[in-house]
């Protein structure tokens, strides 16, 4: 594919993303009366930032982190718009943990882009966020009556211990830790490992 073809394809992609964005704005406008323009700012910012990341993901380097940002921000935009326009009638101060749950789901999806069945850095983070999101929802809807700050003192030590055990296991399995680290650090550690073996 020559440069001209690549440029044309990028223009088509950019046009497609723009149409999606303007379609999203029109949906917000027809969803109900707009009380003021500021009500569109937050959902619009989330959504357009998500689309920019989608564009970068599709047109340039297909990194898992970029896909995570694209999915998360786009879904945040849609969810914020649904709350802003009272399609979802539950107030934000009660439903905010859904944002945490959305991030956990998009982390799992992005982790699949690494080509591994279990991408530790994404899937472990997703599990932690999902559990936290569920816990926050239970507190938010007052299903758990005990104050969060009191329960945090009980739960926090267990979270720290489990996180510490996880990191120790990762350290013991050097191969796993090399896969998580950025490429430049991972390559350097691999070189050290080969040097040790040659000696």
């Amino acid at each position: 594919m020559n440069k001209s073809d690549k440029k044309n394809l990028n223009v088509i992609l950019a046009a497609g993303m723009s149409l999606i964005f303007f379609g999203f704005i029109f949906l917000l406008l027809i969803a109900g009366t707009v009380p003021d323009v500021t009500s569109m700012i937050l959902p619009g910012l989330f959504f357009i930032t998500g689309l920019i990341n989608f564009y970068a993901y599709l047109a340039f380097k297909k990194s898992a982190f970029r896909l995570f940002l694209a999915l998360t921000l786009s879904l945040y935009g849609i969810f914020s718009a649904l709350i802003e326009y009272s399609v979802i009638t539950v107030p934000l101060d009660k439903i905010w943990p859904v944002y945490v749950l959305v991030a956990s789901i998009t982390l799992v999806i992005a982790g699949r882009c690494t080509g591994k069945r279990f991408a530790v850095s994404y899937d472990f983070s997703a599990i932690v966020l999902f559990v936290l999101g569920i816990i926050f929802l239970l507190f938010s809807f007052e299903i758990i009556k005990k104050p969060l700050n009191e329960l945090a003192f009980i739960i926090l030590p267990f979270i720290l211990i489990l996180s510490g055990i996880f990191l120790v296991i990762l350290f013991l399995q050097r191969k796993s830790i090399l896969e998580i680290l950025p490429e430049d650090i991972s390559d350097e550690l691999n070189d050290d490992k080969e040097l040790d073996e040659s000696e």
Side-chain angles (χ1 to χ4, degrees):
M1 186 187 292
N2 59 42
K3 284 186 179 179
S4 173
D5 288 341
K6 196 171 181 182
K7 190 177 177 183
N8 289 336
L9 285 174
N10 285 344
V11 168
I12 291 167
L13 180 61
M17 295 294 185
S18 302
L19 289 172
I20 291 168
F21 174 70
F22 286 116
F24 176 71
I25 295 298
F26 278 116
L27 272 176
L28 294 184
L29 289 169
I30 62 173
T33 15
V34 184
D36 53 64
V37 182
T38 55
S39 64
M40 294 173 66
I41 291 174
L42 186 62
L45 275 176
F46 275 139
F47 197 71
I48 198 164
T49 311
L51 285 181
I52 289 166
N53 277 285
F54 260 127
Y55 175 79
Y57 172 77
L58 293 171
F60 306 110
K61 190 179 177 185
K62 292 192 175 182
S63 74
F65 183 69
R66 192 169 280 160
L67 179 62
F68 162 69
L69 284 178
L71 289 170
T72 305
L73 293 169
S74 299
L75 290 171
Y76 279 4
I78 293 166
F79 191 67
S80 300
L82 293 174
I83 293 170
E84 197 67 51
Y85 288 89
S86 302
V87 177
I88 295 173
T89 52
V90 183
L92 183 60
D93 62 339
K94 279 195 174 292
I95 208 168
W96 67 266
V98 171
Y99 287 98
V100 181
L101 293 173
V102 166
S104 74
I105 293 162
T106 54
L107 270 172
V108 171
I109 295 167
R112 302 293 67 77
C113 285
T114 59
K116 299 168 194 164
R117 281 187 179 178
F118 187 76
V120 183
S121 53
Y122 286 91
D123 293 338
F124 179 73
S125 306
I127 291 164
V128 171
L129 283 179
F130 187 80
V131 170
L132 287 174
I134 295 293
I135 291 168
F136 291 147
L137 267 178
L138 294 174
F139 278 105
S140 189
F141 285 94
E142 296 177 356
I143 295 166
I144 297 175
K145 304 289 182 187
K146 198 166 182 147
L148 180 59
N149 57 352
E150 282 182 28
L151 203 65
F153 279 109
I154 302 165
I155 294 172
L156 188 61
F158 293 103
I159 292 172
L160 293 173
I161 291 165
L162 288 172
S163 301
I165 291 168
F166 173 76
L167 291 173
V168 169
I169 291 167
L170 273 184
F171 179 78
L172 294 173
Q173 295 182 352
R174 187 166 178 170
K175 189 180 176 188
S176 299
I177 202 166
L178 288 174
E179 288 172 358
I180 296 168
L181 293 171
E183 283 181 18
D184 51 347
I185 301 171
S186 182
D187 291 342
E188 193 179 316
L189 289 173
N190 264 328
D191 292 340
D192 291 345
K193 187 181 175 185
E194 285 167 13
L195 189 66
D196 291 344
E197 286 171 358
S198 65
E199 287 173 359

